[in-house]
Amino acid sequence: MVTVKRVESKADRRRFVDFPNQLYKDNPNFVPATYGDDLSDWDPKTNPAFSYCDAQCFLAYRDGKIVGRIGAILSHRANEKWNTSRMRFSQVDFIDDPEVSAALFQAVEDFAREKGCNQVHGPLGFTDLDREGMLVEGYDRRSLFFTYYNAPYYNQHLEQLGYHKDTDWIEFRINLPQDGPIPQRIHNIAQWALKTHKLHVAKVRTHLGVAPYVKQVFDLVNIGYAHLYGVVELDERQIKRYVNKFLPMINMDYTCFVMDENERMVAFGVCAPSMESAFQASRGRLFPTGAFRVLWNMYHNSAPGAGERLHDGDAVVPGHFSFTFRLEYEPAGISLLQTPADAGFESALEKLEISPISVYLQLQAPVAAGEMSALMDTPVALCFANGTRLPVLSWWDIEQGTAGVPSTRFQADGSLIIRLLQAVDLSQVTAVEVNGTAFPLA
């Protein structure tokens, strides 16, 4: 028989936080979270989110042994913003037993009804900077210290309980060549963007030097993430908490703040060295010795082939990268479904989408491997209401000094994706021209 109990004491909270470490202790792909931070998350005295959240943790027992855990978070601020009445479930882990998972989710659903909610969704945290989401593929890859890892059976259990996927979050890995033309092209594009838009990179070499930029960083986070699933704006107390949490793990050599001529931040990028091995060795605990392991990884990390294996062995950059940018208007996309039409491809153009930062062209059938280079060189232009055309250029065009909107291009699954390096006023775009064929935008 499974019994679910509310977490009330500090001892129970420690058991709650430590349960996944016990559940996955023999799984090499599981990376523990920071133990102290997880404890702090559920403490109203240390987590500012409790000013607008109600929360409760639950532990599942069988024969006196913990067999599962789940958290419930009622974010009043999120419900007000998104016009919902939802309870979030969070930090859910359980053994492969449907009776256990059913009992845990029943506890959350009962708590949701008690608080007047009519839906339950998750896994989500108190804010978007907490861990969230459930792994649906990639179980054979080592996770990150700031993302969840879960066994494949979790999804099966949730589907049996009537839950379904509400959104997708995708984690990307970038393999950066160490030599050849691509790094030079990236450098050329970056220099072009800085010069054209009168931008510069702030020179920050120490953690103390970050202080003048913190507010602008989180202003950008609040702007750039505002439209994402379940996100609510961070307040000053939360910002201070996350700065204290993440700043010590950042290597300033891999951090970039891009400023305009008025010293207003328009973009930033943060890269943290891979620290998964340190967190695995210390089981997520920074004290007494875990902090030294983390510091060692920050400054003694290396790429595969240089003496150390990272993740599954094919990563090149030993770290994790996050970025955001500023747009002067709402980043709404425009899309159009087309009937088959000849756009100069063997396969007809099926779908067009443009946004302030990208053009997406979807073909009705994948492009053969031998035709990839032709697709990469497809001429694309934006057509405006005043009759002007603005060509969208490739890296090669930029290097030759051609005028237009610079971009990067790559092909995936029969689609051509063009990432613009310049915001475009979509209200004035009337068509996208591909290979000389203009496709009107509704």
Side-chain angles (χ1 to χ4, degrees):
M1 180 178 177
V2 176
T3 303
V4 176
K5 298 180 181 179
R6 294 193 178 196
V7 171
E8 305 288 358
S9 67
K10 291 183 179 179
D12 280 344
R13 194 183 304 155
R14 287 193 290 269
R15 296 185 186 100
F16 177 90
V17 169
D18 194 50
F19 176 71
N21 296 334
Q22 304 301 322
L23 182 65
Y24 292 107
K25 63 182 180 180
D26 297 322
N27 189 321
N29 295 316
F30 170 75
V31 177
T34 309
Y35 182 80
D37 287 339
D38 273 13
L39 283 175
S40 177
D41 283 347
W42 297 101
D43 188 345
K45 296 179 181 179
T46 57
N47 188 351
F50 274 93
S51 65
Y52 60 87
C53 291
D54 298 323
Q56 180 63 57
C57 300
F58 301 89
L59 286 171
Y61 293 83
R62 176 183 284 151
D63 299 328
K65 181 181 178 181
I66 298 175
V67 290
R69 69 163 189 170
I70 195 169
I73 302 170
L74 172 55
S75 175
H76 297 284
R77 190 176 291 177
N79 281 336
E80 289 171 5
K81 175 182 176 179
W82 299 101
N83 193 28
T84 56
S85 182
R86 289 177 163 181
M87 179 71 67
R88 300 177 169 196
F89 69 87
S90 182
Q91 297 190 18
V92 57
D93 293 286
F94 46 83
I95 64 172
D96 190 5
D97 186 328
E99 183 184 5
V100 174
S101 55
L104 288 169
F105 278 91
Q106 185 64 56
V108 170
E109 292 166 9
D110 289 343
F111 185 67
R113 294 187 187 96
E114 177 186 320
K115 294 293 183 177
C117 298
N118 56 27
Q119 289 183 323
V120 173
H121 69 149
L124 291 164
F126 289 91
T127 79
D128 190 61
L129 295 186
D130 296 332
R131 286 167 297 148
E132 53 192 5
M134 182 168 286
L135 199 62
V136 296
E137 59 182 68
Y139 306 104
D140 59 335
R141 303 290 182 91
R142 188 167 67 170
S143 65
L144 309 177
F145 74 92
F146 52 81
T147 60
Y148 282 125
Y149 181 85
N150 57 264
Y153 63 78
Y154 282 38
N155 299 284
Q156 301 164 9
H157 285 228
L158 264 69
E159 289 174 357
Q160 291 171 4
L161 293 170
Y163 288 83
H164 60 85
K165 183 176 67 175
D166 202 16
T167 189
D168 276 314
W169 288 320
I170 303 174
E171 179 182 313
F172 290 96
R173 180 176 57 225
I174 301 174
N175 295 328
L176 183 63
Q178 299 300 298
D179 51 27
I182 292 180
Q184 185 60 44
R185 288 174 179 173
I186 294 174
H187 173 77
N188 292 346
I189 292 170
Q191 294 305 307
W192 181 93
L194 290 173
K195 181 178 180 180
T196 301
H197 300 288
K198 298 180 180 179
L199 306 175
H200 63 277
V201 176
K203 295 181 179 179
V204 181
R205 292 290 177 263
T206 67
H207 288 86
L208 290 177
V210 174
Y213 302 97
V214 167
K215 184 180 185 303
Q216 291 201 62
V217 165
F218 282 94
D219 283 346
L220 276 185
V221 168
N222 282 333
I223 292 170
Y225 291 9
H227 66 289
L228 300 180
Y229 185 92
V231 170
V232 295
E233 184 174 322
L234 298 171
D235 59 33
E236 290 186 11
R237 291 177 62 209
Q238 289 175 304
I239 289 172
K240 182 177 180 180
R241 181 171 185 261
Y242 286 116
V243 169
N244 292 335
K245 178 178 180 177
F246 291 117
L247 185 58
M249 301 179 187
I250 302 301
N251 187 328
M252 300 311 300
D253 291 337
Y254 308 129
T255 299
C256 179
F257 302 130
V258 182
M259 317 297 291
D260 66 13
E261 55 188 335
N262 298 314
E263 293 303 316
R264 186 184 70 156
M265 188 176 295
V266 298
F268 73 88
V270 177
C271 187
S274 176
M275 291 178 280
E276 281 63 56
S277 59
F279 278 87
Q280 285 179 323
S282 63
R283 296 176 60 196
R285 289 166 168 80
L286 295 181
F287 299 100
T289 60
F292 294 104
R293 292 190 176 99
V294 171
L295 288 172
W296 177 266
N297 270 47
M298 285 181 62
Y299 298 101
H300 297 82
N301 223 322
S302 58
E308 182 177 351
R309 180 177 183 272
L310 291 176
H311 294 286
D312 55 337
D314 60 359
V316 175
V317 179
H320 316 301
F321 185 70
S322 175
F323 72 95
T324 190
F325 50 87
R326 181 188 299 274
L327 294 175
E328 298 301 330
Y329 51 90
E330 182 68 22
I334 301 175
S335 64
L336 172 69
L337 288 175
Q338 286 278 353
T339 55
D342 183 13
F345 300 115
E346 189 171 324
S347 298
L349 186 65
E350 181 181 79
K351 186 176 183 181
L352 277 172
E353 291 184 7
I354 68 173
S355 78
I357 60 165
S358 67
V359 176
Y360 176 79
L361 311 177
Q362 180 176 320
L363 306 182
Q364 287 186 328
V367 175
E371 301 174 5
M372 184 180 299
S373 59
L375 182 60
M376 296 276 281
D377 293 329
T378 300
V380 177
L382 303 181
C383 304
F384 292 85
N386 62 6
T388 60
R389 292 170 66 259
L390 194 55
V392 178
L393 305 178
S394 67
W395 287 337
W396 172 256
D397 295 320
I398 293 172
E399 291 174 348
Q400 303 309 307
T402 309
V405 181
S407 67
T408 62
R409 302 183 185 191
F410 57 95
Q411 184 269 345
D413 300 329
S415 305
L416 176 65
I417 303 172
I418 302 174
R419 299 291 185 188
L420 307 179
L421 295 183
Q422 173 180 322
V424 175
D425 184 357
L426 296 185
S427 66
Q428 300 302 310
V429 178
T430 59
V432 175
E433 184 181 286
V434 183
N435 269 9
T437 301
F439 294 87
L441 299 174

